[in-house]
Amino acid sequence: MRKKLTRLVVMVMLFVLVGTGVTALVGMLNMRKNVEKSIEETGEITLRESTQLMHTQSVNMLREIAKEKAANVEGTLLTLGSITGVVKEEMNLLYERPPEEETGVPEETAEAGEVRLTLAQGIPQEGLAGEIAQTKRAAELIDELSELSQVLSVLQFSSESGFTYVAADGQNDSREAQDARETRWYQAAKEAGHMVATEQAAPAGDMLVFSAPVYDGQGAFRGVVAAGAPMEAIWEGILDTEEESVSVLIIDKKGRVIQCSSGQEEEWEKALFGEGGQHAAPAEEPAEGQSGLALIEFEGQEVYLAYEPLQAVSWQVATVVPAERLTFGQATLRQLVAETTASSVRQINHHLVLILSALGLILLVCLVFALLYAKRASTRLVAPLLRLEEKAREIGKGDFETRLDIQTGDEVEDLARSINKMADSLQSYMRQVTASAAERERVLTELKIAKEIQTSMLPRLQPVFSNGQEVSLYAEMEPARQVGGDFYDFFFTGEGKLAVVIADVSGKGVPAALFMANAKAVLHNALLQGLAPGAAAEETNRQLCVNNQTNMFVTAFVGLLDTKTGRFTYVNAGHNPPLWAGEQKEYRWLPLPKGLILGAMEESEYPQKTLAFSPGDRLFLYTDGVTEAEDREARLFGEEALQRTLNETAARKETLEETCKTVMGKLNEHGKGTEQSDDITMLALQWRGKREETEP
């Protein structure tokens, strides 16, 4: 009986021990599966979010490099184009005058470093004295403008009759030079009928030449103005890279790679635009401002190519970096997450083996105390693992504040510390991400405040009345960014004298906004002092030229309306021509006096013109953001569309505000689905007074 009882007790204990062990084993296996799943989910979430963030930052950095490279050379190209345009306008004016009488046979001059007069070989000298005398003032302007740019090496005017005024540095000064009429730049400008940019071989190296045709008062072709600079000087600085793996390309509008920082021009041209080329799009329409990013293959390696346009010459600057450079951090992070996950799984398996071994040892050595030991083992081993499973699941859901407090003195405690350490690392990473987002929000807030300050500087958007509602006016501005460089102004300078201003500062963003504030204040004060529009423009130009180290400039239209008589006096400083609706009630382009941009040349003069308003006449002013608004295919809104839209508003007899709203609606419809590329500013004016007789 005793034996049976002992056998029964032993069997019961054995059954309980085995049952407890099996239960614990099943629970631990399930726990291991759940923990592994939670760890893998946490790793995948971290890897996915981190990879996306790292890739976005890398791509944005590459695009910023391309934009910076393009911006470095754009200013130089715009300066060369502006100089060419100024000399062209002067030559057009000179040829509009009657030719002077011939006073003698002209002789060639040869002073080194000065403007000199040369005659093409084989050209008879007789009969040129009158034309040379007619255009001799051009030599003074060429001499003055040749000092404006450090990279400018040649500035000249070559006539169709065979003589040339030229200012050149020592490296490009050759008396036996080729007849200018046979050069590529001369022929290109003559055939195109407008300013073009041409590559030209020279003794000191290849040059980039801006050339523009000159016509007389009857529209006859008389010659070409050219301004050239060495390619090496233009591209200096932008081809330098801090890392060998980063390359910079210069692509012209014909799809040729003319410069490469690594010296692989032919290889890149073949890879991009040759037979089977992978990326012909960037150079097809660069003048329309294309930019973007592409992933292509070059010499068996994937590379990212970011490209930005050079608007002045319809070329492009591209930066290239191997794709592995942008994904290197992603691979490292992926490996780190995989190793962390594998390490956690190994620890769990290791702990499971230890527990099973302990259970087996207890079964062999402590069979008599199997029941008691099973209960203790269940309490000591299973409970901490269940807590470990629960906390791991919480961490997998994103609760990185959770910490495990397990003090078992064995490997389970080590595993808990490892999971706590992983949670600390994840929490630190998320704090960094949060801080970055907060910093970006702070910058956006500051820009929003800057926009409000800039808006407050403009006149109140309401009609202006004087002397019995003789004048009505409405203005509207939409910056391309948080802050912009456009501005308008309108105010009374005296009894019955209403000043109106609209202007556009070069560039965008905060720098343009600051320059805008300065220009607006100077011009406003000059007009309030009673200066005429021409004198006010000259005073503003002089003050903006002082310490203008950023080489920024302003295009502006300034007008002064006598609300009693309808007499309107105005000047133009390189701004877009306004549209005027007179007696026919159809908008036409307002004739403009010649005037250089403000902030370029300190001694510039600004002639005035006068327009007599009739009751009901309207004037519409705008900035280039209206006519140069682009659609999805980079097509401009254009001056014809603007004139057509205004005539439609006139036919419907819309108010000034309705007219501006209609134009803005057309622009929104034209650019639907695209980001606004420039500030949009409009100002509409109508005189409704009665014309009075004035003393002569």
Side-chain angles (χ1 to χ4, degrees), residues 487 501-504 523 554-558 571-575 597-598:
F487 71 89
V501 179
I502 190 167
D504 184 2
L523 186 57
V554 183
T555 68
F557 179 90
V558 183
V571 297
N572 188 64
H575 199 71
I597 55 178
L598 301 178

Side-chain angles (χ1 to χ4, degrees), residues 280-323:
E284 289 180 358
E285 297 178 315
E288 298 184 358
Q290 292 186 356
S291 61
L293 181 77
L295 178 63
I296 67 173
E297 184 175 336
F298 178 70
E299 295 185 346
Q301 181 184 24
E302 286 190 339
V303 297
Y304 278 99
L305 183 143
Y307 49 94
E308 286 293 326
L310 295 176
Q311 303 288 0
V313 292
S314 301
W315 293 2
Q316 289 184 321
V317 174
T319 54
V320 183
V321 66

Side-chain angles (χ1 to χ4, degrees), residues 435-455:
S436 298
E439 177 65 16
R440 181 175 180 274
E441 183 65 24
R442 182 188 66 80
V443 172
L444 291 177
T445 301
E446 292 180 355
L447 288 176
K448 181 179 180 181
I449 295 174
K451 179 179 181 181
E452 294 175 354
I453 295 175
Q454 183 185 26
T455 303

Side-chain angles (χ1 to χ4, degrees), residues 14 95 110 191 220 368 431 478 569:
L14 182 60
Y95 273 112
E191 293 175 2
V368 178
R431 286 174 180 170
E478 183 64 31
T569 305

Side-chain angles (χ1 to χ4, degrees), residues 580-588 614 617 647 650-651:
W580 170 62
E583 297 178 356
Q584 292 79 13
K585 302 307 178 183
E586 291 186 356
Y587 282 91
R588 299 180 178 179
S614 297
D617 286 1
N647 286 329

Side-chain angles (χ1 to χ4, degrees), residues 174-184 200-201:
S174 176
R175 294 181 56 79
E176 291 77 22
Q178 179 185 4
D179 186 348
R181 296 172 298 177
E182 300 176 358
T183 59
R184 292 177 57 192
Q200 182 71 40

Side-chain angles (χ1 to χ4, degrees), residues 286-557:
E288 298 184 358
Q290 292 186 356
S291 61
L293 181 77
L295 178 63
I296 67 173
E297 184 175 336
F298 178 70
E299 295 185 346
Q301 181 184 24
E302 286 190 339
V303 297
Y304 278 99
L305 183 143
Y307 49 94
E308 286 293 326
L310 295 176
Q311 303 288 0
V313 292
S314 301
W315 293 2
Q316 289 184 321
V317 174
T319 54
V320 183
V321 66
E324 63 181 12
R325 288 294 307 279
L326 301 185
T327 59
F328 175 76
Q330 301 174 16
T332 302
L333 180 61
R334 184 182 299 276
Q335 182 179 0
L336 177 61
V337 172
E339 290 177 354
T340 302
T341 302
S343 176
S344 300
V345 172
R346 285 195 301 270
Q347 290 187 38
I348 292 175
N349 292 333
H350 177 66
H351 296 159
L352 183 60
V353 171
L354 291 178
I355 294 172
L356 293 177
S357 298
L359 288 176
L361 182 61
I362 293 173
L363 180 61
L364 295 175
V365 177
C366 303
L367 184 59
V368 178
F369 303 98
L371 181 59
L372 179 60
Y373 189 82
K375 291 182 179 180
R376 293 181 59 186
S378 176
T379 302
R380 181 181 178 183
L381 300 177
V382 177
L385 292 176
L386 291 176
R387 290 173 56 197
L388 187 66
E389 176 190 3
E390 180 183 358
K391 298 304 181 181
R393 185 181 294 110
E394 293 178 1
I395 293 176
K397 294 179 180 178
D399 184 7
F400 301 130
E401 299 290 339
T402 299
R403 295 294 181 272
L404 292 170
D405 184 14
I406 297 178
Q407 299 178 358
T408 59
D410 55 14
E411 291 80 359
V412 176
E413 183 177 346
D414 294 339
L415 178 59
R417 284 198 296 267
S418 297
I419 293 179
N420 286 339
K421 185 177 181 180
M422 180 183 68
D424 291 337
S425 299
L426 292 174
Q427 186 179 27
S428 176
Y429 172 77
M430 294 305 298
R431 286 174 180 170
Q432 294 177 5
V433 173
T434 303
S436 298
E439 177 65 16
R440 181 175 180 274
E441 183 65 24
R442 182 188 66 80
V443 172
L444 291 177
T445 301
E446 292 180 355
L447 288 176
K448 181 179 180 181
I449 295 174
K451 179 179 181 181
E452 294 175 354
I453 295 175
Q454 183 185 26
T455 303
S456 67
M457 296 173 62
L458 300 176
R460 291 290 183 179
L461 200 59
Q462 61 186 14
V464 176
F465 300 103
S466 172
N467 296 335
Q469 298 184 353
E470 296 167 340
V471 178
S472 60
L473 184 148
Y474 182 82
E476 184 170 348
M477 185 178 78
E478 183 64 31
R481 299 184 179 179
Q482 292 287 350
V483 291
D486 285 9
F487 71 89
Y488 62 84
D489 202 359
F490 51 87
F491 53 90
F492 283 98
T493 63
E495 183 176 358
K497 304 290 186 180
L498 176 64
V500 291
V501 179
I502 190 167
D504 184 2
V505 177
S506 60
K508 302 178 182 66
V510 174
L514 294 176
F515 198 78
M516 176 275 285
N518 182 32
K520 178 179 180 295
V522 173
L523 186 57
H524 187 98
N525 291 335
L527 291 170
L528 282 180
Q529 292 174 5
L531 296 180
E538 293 173 359
E539 176 64 21
T540 303
N541 177 65
R542 283 193 292 270
Q543 295 195 34
L544 292 181
C545 287
V546 176
N547 296 327
N548 187 9
Q549 298 178 356
T550 59
N551 293 323
M552 300 185 72
F553 59 85
V554 183
T555 68
F557 179 90

